[in-house]
Amino acid sequence: MIFFVPGYDPATESNLAVAEQIVHEGSHPLLGSRATRAELVAMLTREAVPLFAMAHGRSDRVLAQGGETALAESDMPVLGKRLVFTYACHTATALGEMAAKNGAVWWGYTGAVTAPDSSAEFLPFFVEIFSYIRDAFPNASSRVELARILGRLAELCWSAEQRMTDLLSENPDLNVVPAYLCLSHIWQRLRVWGPGEGFPLMHPEASIPIFLP
């Protein structure tokens, strides 16, 4: 698996704190200053393995270190029929649909998403959840399995919310708002585009707001 996670501002540094704890042996990490477009394209060309990314995003691109473009429509041929998970704003709209039309399976996000909270109290919750995503998304071989994964992901987020509530009851001064938002976004705004599909799959309880910032 290729891990692509820049780290150059507060949001991406929080992503990086999670990624550094879930990279496994035998993977291909492009983290921090190595998360450049040149490094990613070279790795995608060389390795026919899934891609796990956490970054800033736009509707038509994923961003690399420093805010440069990492992946865009022109890169679909090198992306190929690959399994991709990208925790990045707006990447389930135009880019996800384009990737699927080119044969990829694209796990991305609609609207904006909040970065994980990397504080000592909350980081373990996000490491657990993104570890599950890391292990699960390459193994969704059917819509039934995909639905099961989406359901389990929501359950993990709900469990983390309860544990955060317990922490808050012990320490009312904790700022839990960013962490709660991230947990909600992880499962609520996740969309999965499959090859040849005209609409992405999502959790059955995920909301579809008219206006999505």
Side-chain angles (χ1 to χ4, degrees), residues 55-63 71 86-99 106-114 185 189-191 193 200 209-213:
H56 285 305
R58 305 286 184 267
S59 63
D60 62 348
R61 66 195 60 229
V62 177
L63 303 185
L71 279 178
T86 175
Y87 189 74
C89 299
H90 307 294
T91 48
T93 51
L95 190 60
E97 186 174 7
M98 282 186 279
W106 184 275
W107 298 58
Y109 283 80
T110 186
V113 292
T114 303
H185 291 165
R189 298 189 172 184
L190 177 60
R191 304 291 185 267
W193 284 97
I210 297 174
F211 299 107
L212 192 59

Side-chain angles (χ1 to χ4, degrees), residues 1-2 34 38 48-50 61 67 82-83 100 102 137 143 167 179 209:
M1 183 177 294
I2 301 167
R34 288 199 64 201
V49 295
R61 66 195 60 229
R82 193 181 306 261
L83 294 159
N102 280 272
F137 89 90
R143 291 183 69 85
L167 286 175

Side-chain angles (χ1 to χ4, degrees), residues 9-21 54 114-127 130 164 175 178-179 182:
D9 64 8
T12 55
E13 289 288 354
S14 292
N15 288 339
L16 187 58
V18 173
E20 287 173 339
Q21 295 201 34
M54 300 175 74
T114 303
D117 190 323
S118 58
S119 63
E121 295 90 352
F122 302 137
L123 181 60
F125 300 147
F126 293 105
V127 168
F130 282 98
M164 281 192 219
N175 179 13
C182 183

